Amino acid sequence: MSLTRRRLPGLLLTLLALLASLVVSVPAAQAQTATFTNPLNSSGPDPWMTYHQGNYYLMTTPWNGPITMRRAATIDGLKHAAAVPVYSDFPAGRDKNVWAPEFHYLNGPNGWRWYIYYSAGAGGIEDQRVHVAESAGTDPMGPYTYKGMIFGASNWWGIDGSVVTIGTQRYLLWSGVPGQWTGADPSIYIAAMTSPWTLSTQRTAISTPQLSWETQGTPMNEGPVALQHGGDTFVVYSASACQGPDYKLGLLELTGANPLSAASWTKRPQPVFQRSDANGVYGPGHNGFFTSPDGTEHWIVYHANTSASQGCGSTRTTRIQEFTWNADGTPNLGTPVSVSTVLPVPSGETVGAYNRLQSYNFPSRYVRHADFDVRIDASVSPAQDGWFRLRTGLAGTGTVSFESVNYPGHYLRHSGFDLVLAPNDGTAQFAADATFRRTAGLADATAASFQSYNYPDRYLRHYDYLLRIDTITTATARADATFRVTS
């Protein structure tokens, strides 16, 4: 088969302390690394990853829950970031075999929200279904609430749910079998959606494992994920048994007008990504895609093993690499690189993005967090407590927020006018409290001062070495409210 030509405060502190026990410190020098090597973790099957508003987010199979998220501003930071629980609602019946969570940013009945699609059941393979959870706000870290089993009364067997919008219509892709689980070969299905948790049509199988490279070990088509470029829609899927080294990726292209018709999809006759014995990569598959921070590069995220004898378990690690496009508009995923290959970080990732805030009138002292309070100290230990990423303000452009380097996702915010380090809970109140307008220094225009976003009559200043937001009326206060941003 040939493809057609393509177009070109107390409880809070307790919670913070618990989170702190999970965090692995990230030296500032590491956060500024301009290259990296795979893998991104020591175990990370079925990865899903995106870059959103200044941070990378990574989710992998948790097996039995909770579903966790890693977040960091840099790839190196992501390799060291804590796996933070974001969804823990797993009652009996969907508390086992929690597989392949994906998170998608969709405009649903409650406005723009993040939706987690994951597979789970009661423990037997025949129990697996696709479930959906919705975020409370627009933070990928949640919290999330359960919305339901997406197949509704149809109660089809299914795993690996993923979402794609074609034209104005949203669709669900997944791996399923005819009827319920009978041991039939899993295939790629599609159905239209009326909401992020509701299907509106019957399903159509658009790919079944028939080619020789799709049937190694076990006939299998699973893990479908859409890839759109230049007006074309592709579906990349995993083929053959994940228990063996020949797990790989295949490609479908939408060549017809109706996505719900199997005849509208054309399968590439050869795999597009597979094992590389020369590079020591086995079983590469179950992938996702994301773009670089500046939007100029396309990257694939996938899992793989380092030995042909490793199978479908925790030995699989998360890897990423850039891919390109062929002249006919199809993706060129290339060959999976070895774990010794040094790669440049995605384009637009800011080297040296982390800074320190030096007190203007106590130049030996720097802003730091200590037990989640914020102060200026002359000796900051560990040094990472005094490094922050000045990112676009959580409350809007033209502002800044201060994200901790060793507690990714934690920001400086005012609470009762005192400064604390706290995890972003996704609320508008948190965003406002953690956002500042950078101005010329009140005591020295060559330095900087930071005006509270929601209390514009107050500025960030130190008082008895502790940081707070205050009204500024004296020369001493102006000096206390002035800082030098250093690297």
Side-chain angles (χ1 to χ4, degrees):
M1 185 190 318
S2 62
L3 291 179
T4 59
R5 190 173 183 271
R6 286 99 181 154
R7 297 180 299 276
L8 290 178
L11 289 175
L12 176 62
L13 290 177
T14 299
L15 176 59
L16 289 171
L18 289 172
L19 288 172
S21 67
L22 298 173
V23 175
V24 178
S25 294
V26 185
Q30 288 184 328
Q32 299 179 29
T33 302
T35 60
F36 74 99
T37 57
N38 284 310
L40 302 189
N41 46 38
S42 59
S43 177
D46 308 330
W48 186 260
M49 183 171 165
T50 193
Y51 184 85
H52 177 73
Q53 294 185 348
N55 283 293
Y56 298 99
Y57 295 84
L58 173 63
M59 193 176 272
T60 61
T61 279
W63 305 108
N64 294 311
I67 292 175
T68 63
M69 185 88 80
R70 289 178 169 87
R71 169 171 59 182
T74 64
I75 292 300
D76 195 72
L78 193 66
K79 294 175 72 170
H80 297 86
V84 178
V86 297
Y87 180 69
S88 302
D89 185 8
F90 294 102
R94 53 181 172 87
D95 59 332
K96 303 292 192 303
N97 293 336
V98 182
W99 297 341
E102 295 186 5
F103 50 102
H104 295 260
Y105 194 47
L106 305 174
N107 192 2
N110 300 316
W112 284 96
R113 295 290 186 270
W114 290 93
Y115 293 89
I116 298 175
Y117 295 84
Y118 67 96
S119 312
I125 185 65
E126 68 278 2
D127 301 319
Q128 290 297 95
R129 302 292 187 272
V130 175
H131 302 272
V132 188
E134 180 189 54
S135 67
T138 58
D139 187 348
M141 302 295 285
Y144 289 84
T145 57
Y146 184 67
K147 300 303 293 185
M149 190 276 285
I150 200 165
F151 301 136
S154 296
N155 197 31
W156 298 316
W157 184 90
I159 60 173
D160 301 346
S162 191
V163 175
V164 60
T165 299
I166 303 173
T168 60
Q169 178 61 55
R170 186 179 298 142
Y171 299 88
L172 181 76
L173 297 162
W174 75 97
S175 177
V177 295
Q180 302 306 315
W181 179 261
T182 59
D185 300 336
S187 302
I188 305 303
Y189 283 83
I190 191 171
M193 308 173 77
T194 53
S195 82
W197 58 87
T198 308
L199 302 185
S200 59
T201 65
Q202 289 297 306
R203 58 185 177 166
T204 300
I206 59 174
S207 178
T208 59
Q210 297 176 326
L211 302 178
S212 61
W213 53 268
E214 299 177 292
T215 60
Q216 292 174 274
T218 302
M220 177 70 72
N221 282 181
E222 63 180 7
V225 58
L227 178 62
Q228 295 175 308
H229 181 69
D232 293 326
T233 296
F234 305 93
V235 171
V236 178
Y237 63 95
S238 301
S240 289
C242 69
Q243 291 85 356
D246 293 303
Y247 197 57
K248 58 179 68 69
L249 298 180
L251 180 72
L252 305 174
E253 183 189 6
L254 181 61
T255 53
N258 180 12
L260 295 176
S261 170
S264 292
W265 295 91
T266 302
K267 181 182 294 189
R268 185 165 181 154
Q270 299 298 326
V272 292
F273 200 66
Q274 58 186 318
R275 66 186 282 178
S276 172
D277 292 38
N279 292 338
V281 182
Y282 303 91
H286 203 111
N287 73 291
F289 299 104
F290 67 97
T291 55
S292 60
D294 63 6
T296 65
E297 295 174 348
H298 299 266
W299 287 69
I300 182 174
V301 56
Y302 61 97
H303 72 227
N305 283 313
T306 56
S307 167
S309 62
Q310 293 170 327
C312 200
S314 59
T315 58
R316 296 171 295 174
T317 55
T318 299
R319 294 105 182 279
I320 62 172
Q321 61 190 75
E322 186 186 0
F323 70 93
T324 59
W325 299 89
N326 296 312
D328 64 359
T330 57
N332 184 345
L333 302 185
T335 301
V337 300
S338 75
V339 294
S340 62
T341 300
V342 178
L343 300 171
V345 298
S347 179
E349 181 177 306
T350 305
V351 179
Y354 291 100
N355 299 99
R356 295 189 296 168
L357 294 179
Q358 180 186 33
S359 170
Y360 173 75
N361 51 351
F362 291 87
S364 66
R365 291 177 176 263
Y366 291 82
V367 174
R368 58 88 54 88
H369 62 83
D371 293 330
F372 303 105
D373 286 328
V374 185
R375 55 181 294 114
I376 58 170
D377 271 351
S379 178
V380 180
S381 180
Q384 300 95 321
D385 289 355
W387 287 86
F388 300 90
R389 177 172 181 261
L390 276 65
R391 56 159 289 175
T392 299
L394 297 177
T397 57
T399 61
V400 297
S401 292
F402 301 92
E403 183 181 19
S404 169
V405 61
N406 54 348
Y407 289 82
H410 290 59
Y411 293 83
L412 301 187
R413 71 170 294 186
H414 61 80
S415 177
F417 301 132
D418 292 327
L419 262 289
V420 297
L421 182 72
N424 184 2
D425 61 11
T427 64
Q429 184 66 59
F430 185 98
D433 290 349
T435 298
F436 302 85
R437 288 187 172 89
R438 181 172 177 169
T439 70
L442 297 180
D444 184 340
T446 66
S449 291
F450 298 93
Q451 180 187 32
S452 170
Y453 175 82
N454 52 352
Y455 289 87
D457 61 328
R458 292 173 178 262
Y459 284 79
L460 186 65
R461 58 96 47 106
H462 62 81
Y463 186 84
D464 285 342
Y465 302 131
L466 295 175
L467 260 69
R468 54 182 290 109
I469 56 170
D470 262 349
T471 55
I472 306 299
T473 59
T474 68
T476 296
R478 287 192 291 273
D480 290 348
T482 301
F483 302 87
R484 296 196 186 279
V485 180
T486 68
S487 59

